Amino acid sequence: MALVSDLTTKVLFETEKGYSYQCDLTNSIIINFADTMSSYKIQDFLIFQRKVNSVDILNMLYDLSDQSDAQLIETTKRNFSRNLTICEIVQLRELLNGTKFTLSLHSMLCSMVNVELI
C-alpha cells in the first residue's frame, strides 16, 4: 500500500504545523493542518485560501475583546471547520500560500516546457 501511496501523492508544501500534498487518484489537494485533514478540488482550495487570507489579523490584534482572540474558519463544503487563534490563522495562511505558490510554480514550469517542445 505504501508503494501506491508514493506513486499517487506529491508533497507540495510543508511547515511545522502541517503539510499539503496532491493526490493524483482523486485529483485533489489534501491539507493536513494541526492534525485535521481536509481534501479540496483546486477551485475549492483557491476559495479557501482567499477566505483565510481575508481574515483581518490586524483588527483582531487591536481588538481587546475576548471574541477577537479566535475566529471560526469554515469552508463551503464543510471540509474544514475550526475555531482558530491568531497564531493558527497565520500558520494556516503560510501553509495555504506556500501550497498555492508551489502549484503556480509547477504550472508555470510545465507551460514553459510545453512551449519549448513545440
Side-chain angles (χ1 to χ4, degrees):
M1 185 68 182
L3 182 60
V4 172
S5 177
D6 292 341
L7 293 175
T8 59
T9 60
K10 297 173 185 147
V11 174
L12 296 171
F13 194 76
E14 187 173 359
T15 66
E16 259 185 47
K17 293 293 182 178
Y19 59 90
S20 63
Y21 62 91
Q22 180 178 345
C23 180
D24 292 335
L25 290 177
T26 61
N27 197 23
S28 59
I29 306 298
I30 313 296
I31 303 293
N32 183 333
F33 177 74
D35 298 326
T36 302
M37 292 199 71
S38 50
S39 174
Y40 305 93
K41 295 296 181 187
I42 189 65
Q43 197 62 33
D44 295 329
F45 168 77
L46 294 173
I47 291 169
F48 181 49
Q49 188 250 351
R50 281 192 302 267
K51 184 173 190 168
V52 172
N53 281 340
S54 72
V55 174
D56 189 358
I57 292 179
L58 200 56
N59 189 36
M60 289 176 73
L61 287 171
Y62 287 121
D63 188 348
L64 299 177
S65 67
D66 290 339
Q67 295 85 6
S68 69
D69 291 343
Q71 183 163 344
L72 180 65
I73 304 291
E74 293 181 305
T75 59
T76 55
K77 296 185 179 178
R78 295 280 201 192
N79 293 348
F80 185 92
S81 178
R82 289 198 42 193
N83 209 18
L84 299 177
T85 64
I86 295 170
C87 289
E88 290 173 324
I89 292 171
V90 170
Q91 293 164 345
L92 181 58
R93 270 188 188 180
E94 178 186 14
L95 177 61
L96 297 177
N97 291 337
T99 301
K100 182 179 177 189
F101 173 78
T102 303
L103 290 170
S104 299
L105 180 62
H106 183 266
S107 176
M108 184 174 43
L109 291 174
C110 285
S111 67
M112 294 298 290
V113 167
N114 287 337
V115 167
E116 297 214 2
L117 291 177
I118 295 177

